[in-house]
Amino acid sequence: MFALIRRDGRVGWVDVRSADLGPGEVRISPRLVGICRTDLEVASGERPVTEPRILGHEFVGEVTEVGLEAKNCAVGDSVAVDPTIACGKCRHCCDGWSNACEDRKFLGVDCDGALAESVVVPARNVWVMPLGMEDARAVMLAPVAACMAVLRAPIDPDDNGLISGSGWLTELSRQVLATHGIDCVDRLDDVADRDATYDFAIDTEGTSE
């Protein structure tokens, strides 16, 4: 199969062998793959990875093969994938906190990703999309899920908030809040009065500044 690979310090399309399918895994043929800052950092070498590495982690596709122990999807299903793969064995995974896995791997960074003719992932990371959902919407599953973490904070719809950032994650976070009735949120860069007070603040950049 052909895949977009970083190898020997360069990125290009290479004909490689497809990954083997384990009993608890599924094989997916990607239809649409998003490209975010993580992918660009891997491609440029800013984020070091073990080479060769197939890029890509935000994607939607069709299940083409199902392992013997994979029960949550079937061949032909349209699916999106959680790109963070938990080990399933550490203390956090065993306690039901796989999001805090001590040995988690990320598609396209720690293991081969989705910019390929096929990709193999654990069945537990697969989410079947509703019939009729457009690929352009389904491919946003991972970033939308990440942004929805703001809803775990004790924010009241009447609160005034501040959000730091200028990228699409910033705007997506604002949309998530607005969808839940929290629409009084200013962007930090737009605030002229530096003495203004707010009920909550959200950082979408993750920088020391």
Side-chain angles (χ1 to χ4, degrees):
M1 69 171 184
F2 280 96
L4 189 65
I5 292 179
R6 179 175 173 85
R7 182 175 65 180
D8 300 327
R10 302 177 64 183
V11 174
W13 290 99
V14 179
D15 191 3
V16 297
R17 177 179 175 275
S18 299
D20 294 330
L21 184 73
E25 297 178 324
V26 298
R27 189 183 306 278
I28 301 168
S29 176
R31 289 197 304 263
L32 183 63
V33 183
I35 297 177
C36 81
R37 182 171 58 185
T38 300
D39 302 304
L40 298 177
E41 290 176 352
V42 172
S44 67
E46 182 180 350
R47 178 174 295 205
V49 297
T50 301
E51 300 182 14
R53 175 67 66 231
I54 300 175
L55 281 65
H57 63 275
E58 295 173 0
F59 70 103
V60 59
E62 181 178 328
V63 176
T64 59
E65 191 176 0
V66 177
L68 294 176
E69 298 176 7
K71 308 298 183 183
N72 59 322
C73 60
V75 171
D77 282 345
S78 179
V79 298
V81 174
D82 178 353
T84 304
I85 299 176
C87 71
K89 301 176 182 178
C90 70
R91 58 191 177 96
H92 293 311
C93 286
C94 292
D95 288 340
W97 294 91
S98 58
N99 60 301
C101 174
E102 297 174 338
D103 192 30
R104 61 187 179 273
K105 292 179 172 55
F106 199 74
L107 285 176
V109 179
D110 307 301
C111 54
D112 284 336
L115 278 165
E117 292 182 82
S118 74
V119 57
V120 171
V121 299
R124 63 177 179 272
N125 283 64
V126 170
W127 294 85
V128 178
M129 294 294 98
L131 290 175
M133 176 173 280
E134 300 174 358
D135 286 351
R137 292 180 180 273
V139 78
M140 296 294 289
L141 174 68
V144 169
C147 291
M148 287 184 70
V150 299
L151 299 177
R152 295 186 176 185
I155 299 174
D156 188 275
D158 295 327
D159 287 346
N160 293 315
L162 184 69
I163 191 165
S164 172
S166 58
W168 62 271
L169 277 177
T170 307
E171 182 57 31
L172 192 54
S173 297
R174 291 181 70 179
Q175 290 182 28
V176 166
L177 290 168
T179 300
H180 287 77
I182 307 166
D183 52 12
C184 294
V185 183
D186 296 332
R187 286 182 63 251
L188 178 61
D189 293 344
D190 297 335
V191 176
D193 182 6
R194 293 295 169 167
D195 292 326
T197 58
Y198 292 89
D199 300 303
F200 68 90
I202 297 169
D203 173 35
T204 66
E205 294 181 303
T207 64
S208 58
E209 289 82 8

